[in-house]
Every structure is written in structure tokens, then in C-alpha cells.
Amino acid sequence: MKFWQKIYLFSFIVFALIFNAASILVIERSHNKMLEQEINSALSQNMSIHSSVDAIVPILRIFDSLDYEKTVLTNIANEFVAKNNDQHTFLTIVNDENQSIFSNTTFQMPENREELDKLDVDEIKYVLRDIDKRTILFTSNITVINHKNYVFTYMKDVTSLYEGRVDQYRFFVQVDLAAALLYMVIMFFISRGLTKPIDQLNKTAQVIAQGGFSERVQLQSKDEIGVLARNFNDMASVVEDKINDLERNNQEKQRFIDNFTHELKTPLTSIIGYANFLRTTKYNEELYLDGLDVIYSESKRLESLSHKLMDLILLQGQHFQMREHDLEAIIAEIKPTLEMKAKEKQVAIVTDCVEGKLLLEKDLIKTMIFNLVDNALKASSEQQSITIRTSWHDNHYLLEVIDEGIGIAKEHQDKIFEPFYMADKARTKVNNGAGLGLSICQSVASLHHAVIEVASEENKGTTIRVLFNPMDQSRKLSDKRI
């Protein structure tokens, strides 16, 4: 059973129970109230008769005549009945010998009258009886006249009360059916409307489960379902981001494997090929030297590749001790080495640095700067310059390595930090590169809680920025100590 059908069914059951119970309670309470009024009225009439008789008892004692008593009591009864003729009232007077003195009943009096058992003088008892499809209220009392007991029974037909109750129930059934029908129609639309957002959530969840991670629930309500929809969308966004990260990581891993295999396979193929050529060919000094040169250069490439891979693995697997160093001083310390390296290509190294004391691992920072400058040298031409600049911006220390080289195309800029990724493979191989330098730089920056960015324009140059946050460094270092 669907949720809206449950709401529809259970709300109707609750409505039917409450409405019927309340209506029955009202009808029964109204009937009992009216019956109570009739009983009180009958008791009052009975007492009135009793008072009238008590008023003439002294006179009856004077005469002390049975016939006179019967005549007087009959006259009192006739006068009372005549006065209440239109109220469906009856009166019987019976002496202690069970002889009827007066009766105006239109029905057969019952033989068993339990209300007369143990009835005391000055006591009034009442009882309801169903006689000939009528309901009669009996009220009885005893009056003593000249040492004789007379039973006065005042009766009233209260059938109309019970007929009224039946009419009320009949009317209630009609109202109940109409109300139930109207309630069912209204609740059908209400239950469908209330559960419609849940249907949207369900459909969206099905789309996401089938791979449509960008699907979202379009609900603007501020109730609990609206909050649930927003939380659902937030959850879907997180899942989509995670899935995208997993896909990107898988693609990066696959590129890493492909590139690593290719980089390993190429020099090995050359080495094996030339070694076999030299082994199976007659000695020729020129061919021999060319083959050895190829074997040597390819072996150097393998050596460089293995060293950089080791650096990359070490950076990801070890914890380094950070100490406070002045980055300006470190750059000044390695500048001669950089200039010597750049001199081979006739490129100038320019520094424009300010003091910057940071928590650094000195050797790793040197490695990062060497790699950044080496990468800039590979992109530069003769007579160009490479600028190493440091500065403070909003409590952040910025290191920039700027070259005037060929630049990097936009489609490559977000991938150049991946291992073995080479935007220009031909040029990188000429410079004996393996596409690991910038990956090492990013790992070093991450260890120092720094952000590394690239800004480049083809044929105008590239700027690599490393942004250090001293406060973030101190906080994370404290967290590690805790």
C-alpha cells in the first residue's frame, strides 16, 4: 500500500471513530437529560397528588367511612386526570386489599411490580416499562388513611422520548454518510498533495541510483519535507563530488600507469636494441660509439627517472621536521648554483626577494625551487631571464618563479602537476625530462601546507606561484603535536 493510501485510509478510520463516538455521546446525553426531566416531572406530579390527599385526611378521619373515602379519592383523581388530560398521564389508586379505587389506564397493568416491594410510607419509587410498544414511566407511593394503605401510581407515557432518540439516530446516519463521503473526497486530494513531494524525492533518488548524479529535487517548501529535500540535494552534491573525484583519481592513476609504462619501455627498448645490435654486428668504431652513446643517454634517463620516483615516493610516505627558516636566505644560498645551471643556456637568473621566516624543511624547499627553475629553463630560450620573487600579501608569503618562455596551453595547465604528464613530450625528452618535476613541487608545497598555482600564456611565459600561510602552518603543526 502506498504512503498516500495509508494516510487516506487511517485518517478516514480515525475520523469515522471520533465523529461517530462524539455524535452517539451527544445523542445519548441529550436523551438521558430529557428522560431525567420527565422522571423529575413525574415524581413532582406524584408528590402533588400525595399532598392533595394529605390535605383532606383530617376530614376523612372525622367521617371514617370507606365509601366516603372512595368517593373523595375518586373525585381527586378525576380532577387531576382532567387537568393533565393532554399529557398522556395515567393514575391508579389501589387499597391494601388490592381493590382498584380509580384507574384511567388504557393498557393492562403488569402483574409483577417490583417497585412496590418493600415500599415504605412517604417513599416514592419509579420504574420504566415497555407495554404494548409504548414506554411507560411508573411512579408509586403509599398514603395511609384511617389505618388503611392506599397505593397511588402516577404513570406517564414517555414513548415520544425514545421515538425522538430513534429519529436523531436516523438523521445522524444520513449526516454521517454525507460527512464521510465529503471527507473521503477532500482527504483524497489532501493526501495526494501532501505525498507529492515524496514522490518527487523517490523519482530523483531513482535517477541518481541509475547514474544521473547531477539530478536534484526541485522543492521550495519550508516544511520538514522541504528541509529533507535540501538535505537530500546536499547529500547528492557530496556524492556527485565524490564520484567525480573517484573518476578523476582513476583517470590520473590510469594516465600515471600509461605514462610510467611508456617512459620505462622507451629507454629499455633502445638499450636492449642497441646492445643486441652491437653484440651481433661486426666491430665498427663509429657504430660502436654511437650505440654506446645511446645506451649511456638512455641509462641516464632511467637513472634520473628512478631518482625522481624515489623523491616522489619519499615525499608521500614520510613526516618531515619543520623548522623556522628565512626563505629569502635559502634563495640567496642556492642562487649561485642556479646561475651556473642557467649559464649553460645563457639565461639570466634575477631575484627580487623579501625576508620571509616560515616553518620549512630546508632541503625540500631547495628541491622545489631547483625543480621550478629547471622547468623554467626548459621552457626558456637564450638571452631570456628567470625571475625568483618573494613578497607578503595579506599575511601570506608568496614565492613566484617567472619565465619568459613558450608558456603552457590552457588545456594542459590543470594537468601539469600530475606525475609523468608532459605538455610538450618532444621538448621534455630533449631536455631529459620525465614529467615528474612539478609533481614533486606540488608534494613539497602540500607538506608545507602551501598552495601552488600556475598562470601561463603561450609564447609569453609562465608564472608558478607558491602561497604560504604562516598562521595555517603554526595551527596544523600544533594539531599534530596534540
Side-chain angles (χ1 to χ4, degrees), residues 252 255-256 259 312 316 415-421 434-436 439:
E252 290 176 358
R255 278 200 299 270
F256 178 87
N259 293 333
L312 197 59
Q316 294 176 352
K415 300 183 182 71
I416 59 174
F417 295 105
E418 295 178 14
F420 296 110
Y421 189 86
L436 291 173
S439 298

Side-chain angles (χ1 to χ4, degrees), residues 183-213:
Y183 184 86
M184 290 171 68
V185 173
I186 294 174
M187 274 308 298
F188 175 79
F189 292 103
I190 290 177
S191 59
R192 290 302 300 268
L194 288 175
T195 56
K196 189 175 180 180
I198 299 176
D199 290 339
Q200 292 185 25
L201 275 170
N202 187 37
K203 290 178 181 176
T204 304
Q206 289 177 346
V207 173
I208 292 175
Q210 293 172 358
F213 299 108

Side-chain angles (χ1 to χ4, degrees), residues 25 62 71 87 99 128 140 147 157 177 216 230 270 291-292 302 308 378 380 399 419 424 429 482:
L25 184 65
I62 294 172
T71 302
Q87 297 184 11
Q99 295 176 339
L128 287 165
S140 301
H147 307 290
D157 188 348
L177 291 174
R216 296 292 181 271
R230 287 191 288 277
S270 299
L292 288 180
L302 282 177
K308 290 190 175 181
K378 291 171 182 173
S380 300
L399 166 66
D424 186 347
K429 286 183 177 179
I482 292 172

